[in-house]
């Protein structure tokens, strides 16, 4: 091996690690680099990243197009909000309860829905959002109807004698970042496991997977529940960050946003979802464009994605990653 | 061929609307046997397979595998717990995944004891997967796919895809394999290879077979017994050379 | 008591007619394209806005505004059809869902951006009540019923006798064959789409005098009403869609009176989900196309 080759090899190893390190440092130092508004935008991106991660398991890995994610997001938001308002429970209790309740709701909803074929399944999942909104509006004794929940306390932690409240934007950012990192790790573990391979098999060809002994129905139900848990935890963050929850948490526009994150970032890739949350939620929030313009941009994005970038940004990201890694 | 048959199918019927696709067909496959199933197009062979393997629910009839009644089991349960594997007439592989991955998937559900254990990524899980990978590589070598093992299965020729499908079915150490037209549309060189593999699996691994096949030379060279279907009904059953000579079989093919 | 029930049923039939005219286009588009058009309600909204613009800004009569509303929608539909819908021929189901969701976002928010998000007042139409068979019913509602019947009779005649109609029927029954036989599938798709959008717009213009208020988000509501209808009617099945629309219209009207107005907009999806649990493939055959 000549000296030049060795030098190149060193360069290959050197570039990815520093970049990853820089990204970590930027993520950790973000509140001190950018303005408060940037931090706020990043928090919103992190909140939406959770349901998007769940949706990615469903759409990207198992091949099930679902619009139900906003329903579980809403369930989580209300669960956390109600607990915090009525019982003042610590955040980790609220978040866990939100995730579990969303998952528990996904079981009875998923059993009939997953028996349906493509189009009917999509419609049924859309129905969950619409019915969820109606329940939130009309179950007034619990949800306070159109008024929604307000003055949801800031998240607080109580671990033995130690107790503190996450009050500022900066501290909330670190909490959201930690939860986002945990969620990303969890998705990575699921996808890397043999179950992840089975999910991909179901996406690629359900009948073939079935004929090779994969219990496709149980996997689909389980992934539907897992994705709801992610959405529920995301909803709890949403409730605690905005401190208000209204029936409009259940809206198709949120499901669409999550879908755009997944498909735009790159369905079936983890980095794509992280990138997608930053781009489609964080950036549009930071740009402070009017909601109408943002939705028009989303609409055009969807069209571009469907017809020209079927795989989203993932291939571009991969090429970049390979390039800085020194691959040919 | 000792003792009970490995697969015993009795009086299966299946209608699609007014069409009686399969009409009261019974059939058995002996332990270690290679049985053939032939018949003109549309005679109900594939439907018979679908009803026996849980892909379709038969209107009537029972399926017994290795002495156990498996009627009404789902396709995945029959594969996983019954170790009866099947191929499809229209070849299917996981097109976007490479050859090795195709085989690893085929073995997973037979290596992991439960659905939840497949979510593990610990040492035990890694050991199981690397075991599967070793087995996959062996089978890939045997099927002559070594050079293309890292290519997406969809990029390979129809014949190679059939070999992948076949090798996948050998991953779980099956008791019996049902093949739906394994030789259709592939070149003679690969036909040789498939025959070799079937015979190897039969002799060395003790796998029984039920094979739907149109190529009569293949049928006579590998099958010990042949069943003929015509218009959903069982026409005759017997030794391959008797079947070829049978007047009714000729009529069925010429008439159909 | 009994007469209120009858009255509510009659009201329900009128609402059902409105839905039927919108849904029939949606289901025909599904027939030729195998894709759900999530943007379909937006053409209803565009038609209404076109008519409102004609009456309010141009000072035209209601009759003229019907033409303006429908024509302007046809122009938009032509552009969308050319740029988007024709590309969807042979694309997977997800592509259809996403592309039409995208169109819905663009159309709806462009209108809000241009005309503002607030409610507008629609003046015009035949709102004076007529007395029919002992009922007092606004003339506009009778017009809606009549137009609905004419639309369905017209469609039936069209797919039976006209060349394009026969092609539409053929494509929705078997796309692969049509390509072989030499039917220009993208052209059929474009025509079906424009026809469907125009019907949605017509429905919007006819309903505007009854609903009075006009706003940018109204299309989404109509989409959410018609989606359950076309699934219940058996995707692509025109007659099934007619009956499903009537059932939903009547159910909504009864629920609004006897259960509570706030539950009206949920009836469709609630019925759909219950029905899907009972019969996963719809109440009416999806094989029986138009
Ligand atoms: N899903 C189905 N729906 C309706 N008819 C079917 C279906 N599958 C098979 N058939 C009919 O059943 C009969 C047997 O078909 P098949 O089992 O594919 O025959 P073979 O495999 O022997 O060629 C044929 O007449 C075919 O048209
Ligand atoms: Mg066959």
């Amino acid at each position: 091996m000549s000296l030049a080759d060795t030098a190149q090899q060193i360069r290959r190893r050197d570039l990815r690690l520093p970049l990853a390190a820089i990204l970590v440092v930027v993520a950790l130092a973000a509140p001190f680099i950018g303005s408060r508004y940037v931090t706020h935008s990043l928090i919103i991106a992190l909140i939406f990243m959770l349901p998007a991660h769940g949706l990615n398991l469903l759409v990207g890995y198992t091949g099930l197009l679902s619009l139900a994610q906003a329903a579980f997001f809403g369930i989580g938001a209300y669960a956390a909000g109600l607990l915090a308002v009525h019982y003042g429970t610590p955040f980790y209790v609220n978040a866990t309860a939100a995730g579990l309740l969303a998952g528990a709701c996904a079981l009875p909803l998923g059993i009939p829905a997953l028996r349906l074929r493509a189009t009917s399944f999509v419609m049924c999942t859309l129905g969950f959002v619409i019915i969820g909104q109606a329940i939130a509006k009309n179950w007034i004794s619990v949800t306070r109807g159109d008024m929604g929940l307000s003055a949801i306390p800031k998240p607080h932690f109580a671990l033995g004698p130690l107790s503190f409240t996450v009050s500022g934007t900066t501290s909330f950012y670190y909490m959201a970042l930690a939860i986002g990192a945990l969620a990303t790790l969890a998705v990575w573990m699921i996808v890397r496991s043999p179950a992840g391979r089975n999910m991909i098999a179901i996406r690629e060809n359900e009948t073939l997977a079935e004929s090779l002994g994969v219990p496709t129905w149980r996997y689909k139900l389980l992934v539907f529940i897992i994705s709801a848990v992610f959405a529920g935890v995301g909803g709890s963050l949403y409730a605690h960050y905005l401190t208000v929850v209204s029936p409009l948490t259940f809206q198709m526009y949120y499901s669409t946003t999550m879908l755009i994150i997944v498909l735009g970032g790159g369905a079936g890739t983890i980095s794509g979802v992280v990138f997608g949350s930053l781009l489609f939620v964080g950036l549009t929030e930071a740009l402070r464009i009017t909601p109408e313009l943002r939705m028009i941009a989303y609409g055009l994005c969807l069209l571009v994605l469907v017809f020209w970038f079927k795989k989203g940004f993932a291939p571009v990201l991969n090429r970049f990653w390979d390039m800085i890694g020194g691959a040919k | 061929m000792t003792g009970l048959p490995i697969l015993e199918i009795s009086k299966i019927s299946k209608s699609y609307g007014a069409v009686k696709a399969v009409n009261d067909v019974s059939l058995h496959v002996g332990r270690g046997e290679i049985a053939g199933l032939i018949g003109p197009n549309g005679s109900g062979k594939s439907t018979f397979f679908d009803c026996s393997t849980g892909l379709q629910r038969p209107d009537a009839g029972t399926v017994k595998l290795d002495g156990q009644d498996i009627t009404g089991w789902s396709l995945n349960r029959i594969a996983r717990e019954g170790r009866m594997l099947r191929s499809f007439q229209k070849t299917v592989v996981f097109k976007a995944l490479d050859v090795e991955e195709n085989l690893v998937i085929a073995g997973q559900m037979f290596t992991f004891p439960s659905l939840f254990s497949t979510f593990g990524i610990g040492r035990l899980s890694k050991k199981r997967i690397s075991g599967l990978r070793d087995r996959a590589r062996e089978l890939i070598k045997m099927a002559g796919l070594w050079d293309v093992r890292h290519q997406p299965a969809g990029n390979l020729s129809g014949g190679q895809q059939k070999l992948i499908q076949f090798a996948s079915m050998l991953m779980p150490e099956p008791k019996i394999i049902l093949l739906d037209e394994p030789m259709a549309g592939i070149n003679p060189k690969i036909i040789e290879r498939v025959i070799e593999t079937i015979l190897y699996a039969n002799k060395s691994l003790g796998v029984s077979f039920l094979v739907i096949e149109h190529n009569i030379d293949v049928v006579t060279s590998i099958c010990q017994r042949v069943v003929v279907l015509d218009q959903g009904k069982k026409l005759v059953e017997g030794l391959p050379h008797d079947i070829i000579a049978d007047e009714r079989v000729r009529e069925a093919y010429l008439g159909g | 008591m009994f007469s209120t029930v009858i009255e509510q049923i009659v009201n329900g039939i009128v609402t059902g007619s409105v839905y039927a005219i919108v849904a029939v286009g949606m289901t025909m588009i599904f027939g030729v394209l195998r894709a759900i058009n999530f943007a379909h309600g937006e053409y209803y909204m565009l038609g209404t806005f076109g008519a409102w613009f004609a009456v309010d800004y141009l000072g035209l009569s209601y009759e003229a505004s019907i033409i303006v509303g429908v024509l302007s929608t046809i122009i938009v539909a032509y552009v969308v059809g050319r740029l988007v819908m024709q590309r969807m021929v042979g694309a997977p189901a997800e592509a259809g869902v996403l592309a039409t969701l995208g169109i819905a976002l663009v159309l709806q928010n462009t209108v809000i951006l241009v005309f503002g998000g607030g409610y507008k007042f629609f003046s015009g139409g035949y709102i004076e009540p007529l007395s029919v068979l002992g009922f007092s019913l606004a003339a506009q509602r009778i017009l809606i019923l009549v137009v609905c019947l004419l639309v369905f009779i017209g469609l039936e005649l069209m797919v039976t006798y006209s060349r394009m109609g026969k092609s539409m029927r053929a494509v929705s029954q078997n796309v692969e064959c049509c390509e072989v036989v030499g039917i220009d599938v993208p052209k059929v798709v474009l025509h079906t789409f424009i026809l469907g959008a125009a019907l949605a717009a017509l429905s919007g213009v006819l309903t505007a005098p009854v609903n009075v208020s006009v706003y940018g988000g109204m299309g989404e509501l109509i989409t959410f009403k018609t989606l359950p209808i076309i699934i219940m009617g058996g995707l692509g099945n025109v007659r099934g869609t007619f009956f499903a629309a009537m059932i939903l219209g009547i159910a909504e009207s009864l629920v609004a009176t006897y259960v509570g107005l706030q539950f009206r907009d949920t009836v469709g999806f609630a019925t759909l989900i219950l029905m899907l649990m009972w019969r996963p493939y719809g109440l009416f055959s999806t094989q029986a196309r138009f």
Side-chain angles (χ1 to χ4, degrees):
Chain A
M1 195 185 283
S2 76
L3 204 63
D5 282 346
T6 331
Q8 212 164 12
Q9 237 170 27
I10 289 168
R11 221 194 77 214
R12 271 180 206 179
R13 286 206 194 98
D14 272 354
L15 266 174
R16 285 191 230 187
L17 220 68
L19 183 76
I22 289 170
L23 285 177
V24 170
V25 169
V26 168
L28 287 173
F32 305 102
I33 303 173
S35 66
R36 234 188 81 152
Y37 197 75
V38 169
T39 314
H40 158 80
S41 305
L42 287 172
I43 292 174
I44 299 285
L46 285 166
I47 290 174
F48 275 87
M49 192 175 84
L50 285 163
H53 267 321
L55 188 62
N56 188 28
L57 290 174
L58 209 52
V59 180
Y61 287 95
T62 319
L64 287 167
L65 185 60
S66 162
L67 292 173
Q69 213 61 347
F72 300 120
F73 190 69
I75 290 172
Y78 269 97
L82 286 168
L83 276 175
V85 168
H86 292 305
Y87 304 102
T89 38
F91 174 75
Y92 49 85
V93 173
N94 302 345
T96 312
L100 290 181
L101 185 68
C105 291
L107 177 69
L109 295 178
I111 288 172
L114 288 164
R115 299 217 178 273
L116 303 171
R117 288 182 309 176
T119 316
S120 300
F121 177 72
V122 176
M123 282 315 138
C124 195
T125 57
L126 172 59
F128 294 158
V129 179
I130 287 167
I131 290 171
Q133 191 184 70
I135 293 174
K137 272 186 180 163
N138 293 301
W139 194 8
I140 294 172
S141 60
V142 173
T143 62
R144 307 212 310 160
D146 278 316
M147 286 196 297
L149 308 174
S150 52
I152 297 168
K154 289 284 177 193
H156 77 91
F157 288 81
L159 293 162
L162 218 68
S163 156
F164 61 97
T165 303
V166 180
S167 47
T169 309
T170 305
S171 44
F172 199 101
Y173 170 77
Y174 285 116
M175 189 182 89
L177 186 66
I179 292 173
L182 276 179
T184 310
L185 182 70
V187 175
W188 184 81
M189 279 165 51
I190 292 172
V191 167
R192 273 312 187 85
S193 73
R197 200 179 280 116
N198 281 341
M199 283 154 57
I200 292 173
I202 294 170
R203 176 190 76 195
E204 291 296 313
N205 191 323
E206 194 172 335
T207 310
L208 177 58
E210 180 96 355
S211 82
L212 295 169
V214 178
T216 55
W217 158 251
R218 279 184 250 168
Y219 270 109
K220 289 197 289 186
L221 187 59
L222 201 57
V223 176
F224 192 68
I225 293 171
I226 293 173
S227 79
V229 172
F230 276 91
V233 176
S236 75
L237 273 176
Y238 175 91
H240 277 287
Y241 182 62
L242 297 183
T243 70
V244 290
V245 180
S246 82
L248 286 183
T249 318
F250 293 88
Q251 58 174 310
M252 189 167 80
Y253 169 62
Y254 280 172
S255 284
T256 316
T257 306
M258 294 159 196
L259 208 54
I260 288 177
I261 294 175
V262 173
L263 299 170
T269 66
I270 296 172
S271 55
V273 170
V274 176
F275 185 73
S277 320
L278 292 173
L279 186 72
F280 294 106
V281 178
L283 191 66
T284 50
E285 187 78 24
L287 288 178
R288 300 191 198 221
I289 54 177
T290 62
E292 285 79 33
L293 269 181
R294 184 193 304 182
M295 289 193 218
I296 292 173
Y298 275 1
L300 293 174
C301 268
L302 273 175
L303 291 171
V304 169
L305 286 171
V306 168
F307 294 118
W308 289 289
F309 278 91
K310 291 200 179 72
K311 300 203 162 135
F313 271 102
V316 183
L317 282 182
N318 281 341
R319 212 170 309 145
F320 176 70
W321 193 243
D322 287 345
M323 201 178 73
I324 64 161
K328 307 123 253 172
Chain B
M1 270 186 263
T2 53
L4 284 167
I6 182 91
L7 179 66
E8 194 171 8
I9 301 168
S10 333
K11 297 178 181 296
I12 292 268
S13 294
K14 175 79 187 175
S15 306
Y16 292 109
V19 182
K20 283 195 166 172
V22 175
N23 191 354
D24 205 28
V25 176
S26 301
L27 182 160
H28 72 273
V29 181
R31 220 168 275 273
E33 188 183 24
I34 301 180
L37 182 61
I38 66 169
N41 273 327
S43 56
K45 306 179 298 292
S46 296
T47 309
F48 180 74
F49 264 28
D50 293 349
C51 291
S52 318
T53 55
L55 186 62
Q56 295 277 356
R57 199 169 275 271
D59 301 335
T62 55
V63 184
K64 260 186 167 178
L65 178 66
D66 212 359
Q68 188 177 20
D69 190 345
I70 59 162
T71 319
W73 285 23
S74 63
L75 177 59
N76 76 70
R77 185 168 174 210
I78 288 179
R80 196 173 59 248
E81 293 175 25
R83 303 212 173 208
M84 171 157 88
L85 279 284
R86 64 160 297 173
S87 72
F88 296 90
Q89 182 167 357
K90 190 166 171 253
T91 316
V92 280
V93 292
F94 299 115
K95 290 204 167 89
L97 308 180
D98 73 19
V99 178
E100 202 174 298
E101 245 358 50
N102 263 275
L103 266 69
V104 170
I105 287 172
Q108 281 196 141
M109 287 323 289
F110 305 89
T111 310
F112 287 84
S114 70
L115 181 79
F116 288 102
S117 65
T118 60
F119 281 86
I121 55 167
R123 190 171 299 158
L124 180 61
S125 179
K126 282 205 179 107
K127 213 175 100 193
R128 284 177 173 145
I129 290 294
S130 75
L132 279 178
R133 224 170 264 289
D134 292 341
R135 186 174 167 77
R137 295 215 172 117
E138 258 170 52
L139 287 169
I140 286 172
K141 256 183 226 157
M142 194 191 73
L145 296 166
W146 185 254
D147 297 334
V148 293
R149 70 185 185 283
H150 291 309
Q151 284 194 28
N155 291 2
L156 306 182
S157 72
Q160 285 171 314
Q161 291 189 15
K162 288 219 181 231
L163 285 169
I164 296 174
Q165 198 183 15
F166 193 69
S168 297
M169 287 187 286
L170 290 177
M171 279 299 288
E173 300 174 7
K175 289 177 186 164
I176 175 166
I177 289 179
L178 276 57
L179 295 171
D180 198 343
E181 303 196 14
M183 316 296 176
I186 58 178
N187 69 45
K189 221 163 143 191
I190 297 205
I191 290 188
E192 283 297 306
R193 183 127 227 158
V194 175
I195 291 181
E196 258 170 44
T197 328
I198 292 177
L199 291 175
Y200 167 80
N202 183 248
K203 298 268 147 41
S204 313
L205 309 175
V207 183
S208 313
F209 281 90
L210 177 62
V211 186
I212 294 177
E213 187 46 60
H214 281 306
N215 186 329
I216 212 71
D217 295 336
V218 173
V219 174
T220 46
S221 70
I222 64 171
C223 296
Q224 286 128 36
R225 193 165 48 86
V226 175
V227 175
V228 185
L229 284 192
D230 182 36
Q231 297 184 359
K233 283 197 172 142
K234 185 153 114 180
L235 193 63
V236 278
E237 175 176 353
L239 298 172
H241 56 264
D242 294 341
I243 293 294
I244 304 172
D246 196 300
E247 199 55 41
R248 287 168 300 176
V249 177
R250 284 173 184 229
E251 244 168 57
Y253 269 92
L254 292 176
Chain C
M1 169 69 202
F2 184 68
S3 70
T4 29
V5 174
I6 298 285
E7 200 183 315
Q8 290 315 317
I9 289 178
V10 172
N11 275 338
I13 291 175
V14 175
T15 317
S17 304
V18 172
Y19 296 159
I21 303 174
V22 183
V24 72
M26 204 169 181
T27 215
M28 286 174 77
I29 294 168
F30 182 90
V32 294
L33 211 48
R34 297 292 186 280
I36 294 274
N37 184 8
F38 270 92
H40 206 67
E42 307 306 332
Y43 304 102
Y44 173 97
M45 181 271 296
L46 282 179
T48 319
F49 259 87
W52 167 78
F53 188 79
V55 171
D56 233 54
Y57 280 70
L58 309 178
L60 297 178
S61 68
Y62 177 62
E63 293 76 23
S65 80
I66 296 180
I67 296 172
V68 173
V70 174
L71 271 185
S72 51
T73 307
I74 287 178
I75 293 168
V76 175
Y78 177 79
V79 176
V80 174
R82 262 296 157 90
L83 293 181
V84 182
M85 303 311 273
Q86 284 192 325
R87 278 175 201 271
M88 275 160 46
V89 177
E94 293 84 45
V97 173
L98 301 173
T100 56
L101 266 177
I103 296 167
L105 284 174
V106 172
L107 290 180
Q108 180 183 340
N109 290 289
T110 308
V111 168
I112 294 177
L113 211 58
V114 174
F115 294 105
Y119 287 78
K120 282 133 193 89
F121 182 77
F122 190 93
S123 53
Y126 316 100
I127 36 182
E128 60 285 353
L130 283 182
S131 183
V132 188
L133 304 169
F135 289 108
S136 156
L137 207 59
Q140 188 73 30
R141 290 177 189 264
I142 295 169
L143 179 65
I144 292 173
L145 284 177
V146 172
V147 170
C148 175
L149 284 178
L150 288 179
V151 162
F152 275 84
I153 293 169
L155 285 176
E156 203 67 47
L157 292 176
M158 185 191 77
V159 295
T160 321
Y161 295 109
S162 86
R163 224 182 120 76
M164 193 28 102
K166 282 186 208 161
S167 308
M168 286 176 188
R169 174 178 263 171
V171 171
S172 79
Q173 275 161 355
N174 192 336
V175 183
E176 294 78 21
C177 276
C178 289
E179 273 159 355
V180 177
V181 179
I183 291 179
D184 184 353
V185 175
K187 190 174 151 197
V188 174
V189 165
L190 184 68
H191 284 234
T192 313
F193 175 66
I194 291 177
L195 176 68
L199 285 176
L202 178 66
S203 180
V205 184
L206 289 177
T207 328
V210 181
N211 284 347
V212 180
S213 59
V214 177
Y215 59 101
M218 65 195 295
E220 193 174 310
L221 194 65
I222 286 291
T223 307
F224 286 165
K225 299 268 173 96
T226 41
L227 284 174
I229 291 175
I230 65 166
I231 309 256
M232 280 191 266
L235 287 163
N237 181 337
V238 166
R239 281 175 213 177
T241 300
F242 179 81
F243 290 114
M246 291 305 161
I247 292 171
L248 185 67
I250 295 169
E252 272 194 354
S253 167
L254 293 177
V255 165
T257 318
Y258 298 106
V259 184
L261 187 61
Q262 70 273 30
F263 293 106
R264 191 188 57 193
D265 295 343
T266 323
V267 172
F269 270 103
T271 319
L272 174 71
I273 289 177
L274 291 178
M275 184 217 80
L276 285 175
M277 286 172 198
W278 171 49
R279 292 190 58 166
Y281 298 105
L283 287 180
F284 302 92
S285 163
T286 51
Q287 305 304 318
R289 303 257 176 215
F290 42 89

